[in-house]
Amino acid sequence: MNKLFNLSPILSAYRLSFTVILVACLIISCSTQKSLVYDQELKRMKTTSENRLSAQVDEFNTYPNRPESDGPFNKTNNKSFLLSNIPLFSSSDSTINKVYNYRWWMISKHLKTYHDPQDNKDYWVVTEFFGVKPWASLSGAITCPAGHQFYDVRWLRDEKFLKSYADYFMRGSASHLDQRENGNFLTYMSRPESHHFSSWMVDGIDAFLKIHPDKKWLHEMLPYLEKHQQVWDSLFTVKTSDSKTAGMYKILDLYDGMEFSLSAVLGLINSDGPYSLYTKDNWRNYYLGWETTGNAEKSIQAKNYPKAFRKGYPDFYLVRPSVNSYAYGNLRALSDLYRLNDSSGINKNGQSKADYYASRATKVQQQVINVLWNKDDQFFNTYSAGDNIFGARDFEARVRESVGYTPWYFNMIPVNDYKNYSKAWEMLASRKGFFNTSGMTTAEQQHPYYNEQAYAWNGRGWPFENSIVYKGYANYLRNYKKSSTLPEKELLYEYVYKLAKMHGDKPNIGEWYIPSTGKEFGGEADYFHSTFPDIIIEDLLGFKGVHENSFSVKPLLPKNKWDYFYLGNLRYHNHDIDIIWKKDWDANKPGEQGKLCVWVDNKLVATSSSLNEQLNVDLNP
């Protein structure tokens, strides 16, 4: 008997298969449409950012009474240079947009070509002041801001500038030519130009190589980076073995880039012999701005102890959180770079150099924590050097200064017990501490010696220090706390915004500002002594480069501040990176459609619906 063939199961399976295919097609189509929307927005934002940069460079070039360029980039060619070299940036905040572009315009004026007659080589250097100052190297470059300069300039697409700059200070004439002794020397310690001021250039080179890796160049440079650190070890460490500060790094106020500090004042007041000159009642006459050192030079003490002063400036060394943190950063960088190097090398004791420098960095870390951290003050304080020839030795200055935040800049706080040191950051938000109307102070406002009017670090604001503290705070929130509160993010943003606003309608960056009432910067104009592009790129927007072939993005931007931002044209590990955050991608749809998007070489590779969660991107195929 013939039976009819039952087609129902086949038809059902067909319908199911068709439905699955249809749904898959719809998903792919929807995904493709979304990707197209994102790609179109990338193209639009990139064009908008380029046009804005172009127009603003034209504006900056018209500003009167600004210093002429130190190098080849000027109003005739700086626009094309900037358009092809800097990471583009746009946001819904017009003030920060303009300052970001201005700071790159300013940086371009400080890229200088220098023919060195000592070794008959040509270098690119980066200047701070315009022209060649008496306290500069012969090229005009000055080591004091070099760490900041490395962190900013590393973001240029063309890596030749920092490679040449590093070469000049690490193995060029500046590494062995003694700093000129002139009216601005003010100490009796001879040293190379590369060590005239404290700096963290080895760490800066490490930061640069995280953006532009080059193992061959690193291999050539490593011995010179070692020698650079060895000079710090030989000249600027406390030599008295039984001292509390033995082996720690020391510096004069002036050669830490800070001229006059309250920690030095307290140490001088507690000194006898030649420094009995300084008392609680009269120290302001002798150590509060350059106009006062002449009074000290005329004193009986200066005449009786000529080696205790240089033109009225005391030869009084301090063991500060700043210079010790710089040393930690350099030593940690040497360890990491030797580990990265294919031939890491062995020291004379049979220990790998990577391990040797890691152990030395750990020792500095432990000394800073054991000696400089004050549990009562909940802050890192400054000591006078235990081998001072004149004045107090191993004296702790009980005053909170912004340099006490420097350890966080280099992530040297132990991760496991970071909470034991977190209370220090309460002072950043306190009116008794460093928080003021126009910006951060450099000493706690509750101290009786606080003074923001003098050309000193007794309270007056300095962009140099803003750059250190803001990165330190960003590191604290991102690397230690992991998840930060809205008020904490808003505090960082408020400080960054105040710094941007201080630049004015016709942006300018100077040496200092008055934290309580300041409307603009004082001192030199277009002055390269601090960062801003790096504050935006790494600290606020959280683009984090590493030596491995990957990166992460974790903004600390409060979600309620900007409607969007774009960061692009960023050259990283020989790839082009673009990043967009938009709070609302489709105004026609109800609710927010917040999305963080990342492109690598014009290909959308990662998205996140969260602005503040970490987004990791692997560049390996």
Side-chain angles (χ1 to χ4, degrees):
M1 178 178 176
N2 293 330
K3 294 182 179 179
L4 291 174
F5 187 68
N6 189 355
L7 295 176
S8 297
I10 297 175
L11 291 173
S12 296
Y14 176 78
R15 292 190 193 100
L16 179 61
S17 177
F18 178 79
T19 302
V20 170
I21 293 171
L22 179 61
V23 170
C25 288
L26 289 172
I27 291 172
I28 292 171
S29 175
C30 182
S31 176
T32 302
Q33 287 177 354
K34 284 185 177 179
S35 180
L36 182 61
V37 169
Y38 298 149
D39 289 344
Q40 287 176 339
E41 184 64 4
L42 171 61
K43 185 176 181 180
R44 187 190 71 82
M45 281 200 175
K46 183 175 288 190
T47 300
T48 299
S49 301
E50 289 174 339
N51 291 340
R52 179 184 290 118
L53 174 63
S54 178
Q56 289 180 342
V57 169
D58 287 339
E59 177 187 334
F60 304 151
N61 284 333
T62 67
Y63 290 168
N65 304 318
R66 293 297 178 92
E68 293 297 323
S69 173
D70 252 346
F73 301 116
N74 53 51
K75 63 181 65 177
T76 67
N77 59 3
N78 53 19
K79 184 193 293 188
S80 60
F81 169 77
L82 292 168
L83 282 168
S84 60
N85 266 285
I86 74 169
L88 299 169
F89 169 74
S90 288
S91 75
S92 52
D93 190 304
S94 60
T95 298
I96 290 182
N97 293 345
K98 190 171 186 178
V99 171
Y100 177 89
N101 286 340
Y102 158 74
R103 291 295 290 258
W104 279 118
W105 174 84
M106 176 276 294
I107 289 170
S108 73
K109 296 205 299 177
H110 285 283
L111 300 175
K112 178 181 179 180
T113 52
Y114 174 65
H115 179 77
D116 192 337
Q118 300 292 323
D119 58 13
N120 200 32
K121 290 183 178 179
D122 294 317
Y123 294 98
W124 282 100
V125 299
V126 185
T127 59
E128 171 193 17
F129 292 86
F130 290 94
V132 181
K133 301 296 183 182
W135 55 91
S137 65
L138 291 177
S139 72
I142 301 172
T143 56
C144 184
H148 286 324
Q149 291 170 342
F150 269 90
Y151 270 80
D152 259 5
V153 180
R154 65 179 173 148
W155 298 110
L156 286 176
R157 292 174 64 87
D158 193 335
E159 58 196 59
K160 71 183 178 188
F161 300 104
L162 278 192
K163 282 183 176 178
S164 186
Y165 191 35
D167 200 31
Y168 173 70
F169 270 129
M170 294 297 155
R171 60 179 176 178
S173 69
S175 68
H176 53 79
L177 188 68
D178 275 352
Q179 181 69 32
R180 293 164 290 163
E181 293 197 32
N182 52 39
N184 292 276
F185 196 68
L186 301 185
T187 183
Y188 294 94
M189 182 185 289
S190 295
R191 56 201 185 277
E193 291 181 332
S194 54
H195 292 74
H196 189 43
F197 294 90
S198 62
S199 76
W200 56 104
M201 281 193 284
V202 180
D203 170 82
I205 290 170
D206 183 38
F208 161 69
L209 287 169
K210 288 176 180 176
I211 310 304
H212 299 289
D214 188 332
K215 285 192 174 183
K216 182 178 182 297
W217 183 79
L218 168 61
H219 183 76
E220 294 173 356
M221 289 295 293
L222 266 171
Y224 301 98
L225 305 188
E226 272 195 290
K227 289 179 182 178
H228 180 85
Q229 185 56 36
Q230 287 165 2
V231 175
W232 287 116
D233 300 341
S234 64
L235 294 180
F236 292 94
T237 52
V238 175
K239 301 298 192 296
T240 306
S241 59
D242 60 349
S243 165
K244 187 173 184 178
T245 55
M248 299 186 75
Y249 292 82
K250 63 181 183 179
I251 200 78
L252 297 179
D253 264 355
L254 173 58
Y255 295 109
D256 213 16
M258 299 173 189
E259 281 82 20
F260 307 90
S261 74
L262 286 186
S263 50
V265 166
L266 296 178
L268 290 168
I269 289 173
N270 281 273
S271 297
D272 52 18
Y275 302 145
S276 63
L277 169 68
Y278 305 96
T279 70
K280 294 179 180 180
D281 298 322
N282 73 4
W283 66 269
R284 295 173 182 83
N285 297 328
Y286 303 110
Y287 199 77
L288 188 62
W290 291 117
E291 66 275 10
T292 65
T293 54
N295 298 331
E297 186 178 16
K298 298 172 185 175
S299 69
I300 294 174
Q301 289 88 340
K303 292 176 182 177
N304 291 339
Y305 298 91
K307 288 291 184 180
F309 299 87
R310 189 79 182 258
K311 296 188 69 176
Y313 196 87
D315 202 54
F316 187 64
Y317 283 83
L318 301 170
V319 174
R320 311 187 83 202
S322 51
V323 68
N324 282 275
S325 298
Y326 303 162
Y328 171 86
N330 283 344
L331 292 166
R332 174 55 62 186
L334 279 170
S335 173
D336 292 344
L337 293 173
Y338 264 112
R339 209 171 300 281
L340 184 68
N341 190 34
D342 292 332
S343 177
S344 62
I346 303 296
N347 67 15
K348 61 183 179 181
N349 297 319
Q351 184 184 28
S352 77
K353 289 189 176 182
D355 289 342
Y356 169 69
Y357 284 112
S359 65
R360 286 198 53 201
T362 299
K363 183 179 179 181
V364 174
Q365 177 190 42
Q366 291 171 343
Q367 285 184 301
V368 167
I369 288 169
N370 294 338
V371 178
L372 302 187
W373 178 256
N374 186 295
K375 290 184 179 179
D376 294 332
D377 296 345
Q378 290 288 290
F379 216 77
F380 288 101
N381 291 336
T382 292
Y383 275 70
S384 60
D387 62 354
N388 273 332
I389 298 174
F390 304 100
R393 302 174 186 88
D394 286 342
F395 171 81
E396 181 183 10
R398 297 287 296 275
V399 55
R400 295 179 186 89
E401 299 173 301
S402 56
V403 294
Y405 288 125
T406 317
W408 281 275
Y409 182 101
F410 298 96
N411 293 295
M412 65 187 294
I413 306 301
V415 174
N416 293 336
D417 59 345
Y418 81 92
K419 291 182 180 179
N420 291 332
Y421 307 92
S422 296
K423 198 172 179 63
W425 289 108
E426 292 180 7
M427 297 303 289
L428 188 66
S430 172
R431 283 281 183 176
K432 293 181 180 180
F434 303 98
F435 187 89
N436 211 319
T437 305
S438 297
M440 188 189 77
T441 68
T442 48
E444 58 180 325
Q445 296 165 82
Q446 64 188 345
H447 197 277
Y449 294 166
Y450 176 86
N451 185 318
E452 62 180 33
Q453 297 302 319
Y455 188 87
W457 289 65
N458 300 358
R460 178 178 287 199
W462 298 80
F464 177 99
E465 193 64 6
N466 292 77
S467 301
I468 289 176
V469 175
Y470 298 171
K471 184 175 292 295
Y473 188 51
N475 286 343
Y476 167 67
L477 297 181
R478 187 177 285 117
N479 302 336
Y480 290 97
K481 289 202 69 182
K482 305 298 183 183
S483 61
S484 50
T485 65
L486 180 59
E488 288 171 329
K489 294 188 190 77
E490 287 179 332
L491 179 64
L492 175 63
Y493 183 82
E494 181 175 358
Y495 270 120
V496 173
Y497 183 77
K498 284 179 178 179
L499 181 64
K501 189 176 180 182
M502 186 77 70
H503 284 70
D505 294 332
K506 293 184 176 181
N508 175 50
I509 178 63
E511 298 176 65
W512 51 263
Y513 59 89
I514 304 301
S516 62
T517 59
K519 299 291 189 297
E520 59 185 12
F521 294 106
E524 297 280 327
D526 298 336
Y527 180 66
F528 195 7
H529 197 241
S530 59
T531 64
F532 193 83
D534 187 69
I535 288 175
I536 300 301
I537 296 169
E538 183 171 78
D539 303 334
L540 189 62
L541 301 187
F543 183 94
K544 191 69 174 178
V546 292
H547 290 301
E548 295 73 30
N549 208 23
S550 62
F551 65 89
S552 61
V553 182
K554 187 181 181 182
L556 289 172
L557 177 70
K559 192 175 180 180
N560 60 352
K561 292 299 180 184
W562 293 351
D563 294 329
Y564 69 88
F565 74 77
Y566 164 65
L567 175 66
N569 196 42
L570 194 157
R571 192 68 176 167
Y572 176 78
H573 287 227
N574 295 316
H575 294 278
D576 291 327
I577 312 299
D578 294 283
I579 303 166
I580 292 178
W581 158 259
K582 283 192 72 175
K583 191 174 183 179
D584 195 348
W585 282 85
D586 190 344
N588 296 320
K589 291 184 178 180
E592 295 181 4
Q593 304 94 39
K595 186 77 71 175
L596 182 68
C597 299
V598 178
W599 289 261
V600 175
D601 298 328
N602 292 312
K603 181 180 179 181
L604 184 63
V605 297
T607 64
S608 173
S609 58
S610 172
L611 172 61
N612 299 125
E613 289 184 9
Q614 183 164 308
L615 188 60
N616 299 312
V617 177
D618 189 348
L619 293 173
N620 291 316

